[in-house]
Amino acid sequence: MAGTERHDREMAIQAKRNLSKTTDPVERLRLKCLARGSAGIKGLGRVFRILDNDNSRTLDFNEFVKGLNDYAMMIDKEEAQEIFRAFDKDGSGTIDFDEFLVKLRPPMSNARKEIIMQVFRKLDKTGDGVITIEDLKGVYNAKHHPKYQNGEWTEDQVFRAFLDNFDSPYDKDGKITTEEFMNYYAGVSASIDTDVYFIVMMKNAWKL
């Protein structure tokens, strides 16, 4: 996975450094998520999804605060209210959490989004919009993995560990949606300055 661990570390350090410089509450929440690495924003999304008992895909303020607390985001009530108001544009008292996560993601150019989707389509063999272990079997060679080679893991365990990279640490279901894949790579992208380098890295990592 082409240096993503190194990028994760660099990005986490950068995010923590930038936290001390910014006062914008939405940017602060974004940086707090990025300080947890590439999966930080996606992990918050998973927590919100679990809280959405009625599948309305919206959150009221209390659910929003509970989600932040469950994800151990240290944010005081005033700051949480400011963030909530920034997303509750129509003053309805609820926010659409898909929209919230898209806006929380670090901005990416169309060129970066396109290469991420190319990779997703390559991995999603069945074309159903979700990457599973079955999809990976034809595309990702588990036999090169050191833990497979030393007999510690089976092939399926290697695939599962691979999927877990993209999954939320709080709710690993072994399935990766386009949204999760995009959220993960938005995190990686935040640590890479130029589109050219990002695209080259993706092409090399995934043999496009």
Side-chain angles (χ1 to χ4, degrees):
M1 263 315 299
T4 45
E5 273 184 36
R6 183 171 56 82
H7 284 127
D8 257 19
R9 279 197 304 275
E10 285 169 9
M11 184 180 58
I13 292 163
Q14 207 177 331
K16 284 173 189 155
R17 200 178 295 140
N18 291 343
L19 251 176
S20 58
K21 297 179 201 161
T22 183
T23 53
D24 177 80
V26 176
E27 180 63 15
R28 284 177 64 76
L29 179 59
R30 178 184 293 135
L31 290 169
K32 281 181 181 182
C33 286
L34 291 178
R36 297 187 176 202
S38 304
I41 289 172
K42 188 167 51 47
L44 184 59
R46 276 292 173 87
V47 171
F48 284 158
R49 212 154 280 147
I50 293 162
L51 284 175
D52 181 30
N53 297 324
D54 56 358
N55 287 325
S56 64
R57 305 195 77 74
T58 60
L59 297 168
D60 63 25
F61 181 66
N62 290 336
E63 288 171 320
F64 179 67
V65 170
K66 186 178 183 333
L68 294 176
N69 289 338
D70 287 358
Y71 199 50
M73 285 282 161
M74 297 298 125
I75 289 175
D76 61 39
K77 201 166 179 184
E78 286 71 33
E79 196 167 344
Q81 272 168 334
E82 256 186 278
I83 297 167
F84 192 85
R85 273 198 299 271
F87 288 97
D88 180 18
K89 292 275 188 268
D90 57 359
S92 64
T94 59
I95 57 175
D96 174 314
F97 68 65
D98 288 321
E99 200 180 309
F100 168 75
L101 290 172
V102 167
K103 287 200 176 128
L104 198 58
R105 263 193 326 230
M108 283 190 294
S109 67
N110 286 337
R112 294 191 190 208
K113 287 179 190 165
E114 181 46 42
I115 193 86
I116 293 167
M117 284 315 296
Q118 275 181 36
V119 173
F120 187 88
R121 286 191 291 269
K122 178 179 177 176
L123 293 176
D124 179 19
K125 274 286 181 239
T126 52
D128 61 355
V130 179
I131 300 170
T132 61
I133 284 177
E134 288 310 307
D135 284 318
L136 289 179
K137 283 186 172 163
V139 214
Y140 177 70
N141 191 343
K143 293 187 168 68
H144 295 314
H145 196 286
K147 287 197 175 177
Y148 177 82
Q149 288 176 340
N150 72 14
E152 202 178 320
W153 282 1
T154 65
E155 212 170 340
D156 271 13
Q157 280 173 304
V158 174
F159 289 134
R160 187 59 200 254
F162 173 86
L163 290 172
D164 284 351
N165 282 323
F166 301 93
D167 235 342
S168 158
Y170 293 90
D171 180 26
K172 293 184 189 298
D173 62 359
K175 294 176 183 161
I176 310 300
T177 62
T178 46
E179 192 61 21
E180 286 179 325
F181 202 68
M182 197 62 92
N183 282 340
Y184 175 85
Y185 272 113
V188 175
S189 168
S191 69
I192 294 170
D193 292 335
T194 69
D195 283 3
V196 172
Y197 179 62
F198 182 77
I199 289 164
V200 166
M201 182 201 84
M202 292 293 277
K203 283 186 169 174
N204 290 343
W206 298 108
K207 301 186 170 50
L208 289 181

